[in-house]
Amino acid sequence: MKTAILGGTFNPVHNGHLNLMRIFLEKINPDRLILLPCCIPPHKQAENLAGTRQRLEMCCALSGVDSRITVSDYEIINGGKNYTADTLEFFKRLYPQDKLYLIVGSDMFMSLNEWRDPQRIFKNAVICATYRNHIDDIEKMRAYARNVLGLGEDSYILCESEPFEVSSTQIRDMVRAGEDISALVPKSVLDIIEKEGLYRD
Ligand code: ATP
């Protein structure tokens, strides 16, 4: 079986994440796609971080989009900073027969050499990446995969696709400014943001 994993802070989860998931649901046709919210992001500052329960709830709100999408609370239960190299080993033990795919946006892809123990990541998962914004360039990503990450052809999948340019930071800023975010997040996520009063200050 094929198991795809999309990790993130998901503060909040948004239509850019959804676009990324749809692209690789189609491209690799996994048997399951696991959304994996982190407890504390290891690779960046966590600004105005919603509670773990609220971020989990927002991720779960996406599972209706496609029956293959599931949500894992593994890193949240573990607590603190979790490193992808370790988390992938957990999923490898959980699904020993499966081929694992790690989905990332272009920004995360182009920083993979700075992650903890990238070789252990590449040993356990095929890296899947696509555009995050219109200035991204497949040739640059390919060269980075080959020359910086040292990945062989079978170890990564790059996909040229129409990006959905949005970030969680932008959404948090818009909510704080009282702006309309309904075009940027699914309705079910918007309902949770409003119900919980998230990101207002
Ligand atoms: P923040 O603005 O708070 O830093 P973010 O929007 O980058 O958050 P994350 O939850 O940190 O969202 O991202 C999780 C994963 O989703 C990362 O691999 C990231 O590259 C990818 N991603 C986020 N937004 C997009 C987007 N609009 N298009 C494609 N990939 C995206």
Side-chain angles (χ1 to χ4, degrees):
M1 297 234 287
K2 296 179 184 174
T3 293
I5 297 171
L6 172 60
T9 314
F10 303 127
N11 185 39
V13 71
H14 53 62
N15 288 345
H17 297 125
L18 208 50
N19 189 43
L20 180 62
M21 287 193 281
R22 285 201 170 114
I23 286 162
F24 284 106
L25 279 169
E26 189 170 316
K27 180 92 181 161
I28 60 186
N29 192 18
D31 297 280
R32 57 187 148 235
L33 191 163
I34 302 172
L35 265 182
L36 183 78
C38 66
C39 184
I40 296 172
H43 305 298
K44 57 185 173 189
Q45 283 291 321
E47 281 169 27
N48 201 357
L49 188 61
T52 50
R53 176 189 61 76
Q54 293 157 325
R55 288 185 293 119
L56 262 179
E57 201 184 327
M58 290 190 278
C59 288
C60 288
L62 292 198
S63 52
V65 168
D66 187 295
S67 60
R68 293 168 291 176
I69 299 174
T70 62
V71 180
S72 167
D73 62 3
Y74 171 74
E75 291 196 345
I76 281 173
I77 299 287
N78 254 353
K81 288 187 180 181
N82 285 257
Y83 291 95
T84 302
D86 301 324
T87 298
L88 284 175
E89 285 180 351
F90 166 79
F91 282 103
K92 196 71 204 168
R93 282 196 301 276
L94 191 63
Y95 304 120
Q97 309 300 332
D98 283 20
K99 187 157 186 174
L100 301 185
Y101 296 81
L102 180 70
I103 301 174
V104 289
S106 55
D107 57 324
M108 286 292 125
F109 181 74
M110 297 298 280
S111 73
L112 270 171
N113 67 324
E114 292 157 27
W115 291 25
R116 177 167 292 192
D117 217 344
Q119 294 308 323
R120 206 147 51 86
I121 296 177
F122 307 150
K123 185 172 155 244
N124 286 309
V126 173
I127 310 299
C128 303
T130 189
Y131 295 161
R132 226 194 129 146
N133 50 56
H134 286 91
I135 58 163
D136 286 330
D137 174 349
I138 200 89
E139 287 311 326
K140 243 190 222 163
M141 291 168 74
R142 241 180 235 134
Y144 179 83
R146 264 195 314 260
N147 305 333
V148 180
L149 302 179
L151 291 176
E153 291 293 316
D154 297 342
S155 303
Y156 66 98
I157 299 171
L158 298 179
C159 188
E160 282 178 284
S161 59
E162 183 60 27
F164 191 105
E165 288 196 21
V166 67
S167 70
S168 298
T169 304
Q170 180 193 341
I171 290 169
R172 294 194 301 275
D173 289 347
M174 288 174 72
V175 173
R176 199 176 307 117
E179 292 170 25
D180 177 15
I181 58 161
S182 57
L184 304 177
V185 294
K187 171 78 170 68
S188 52
V189 172
L190 180 64
D191 288 346
I192 295 168
I193 292 173
E194 286 179 348
K195 171 178 68 96
E196 299 279 340
L198 298 176
Y199 313 124
R200 286 190 192 152
D201 45 43

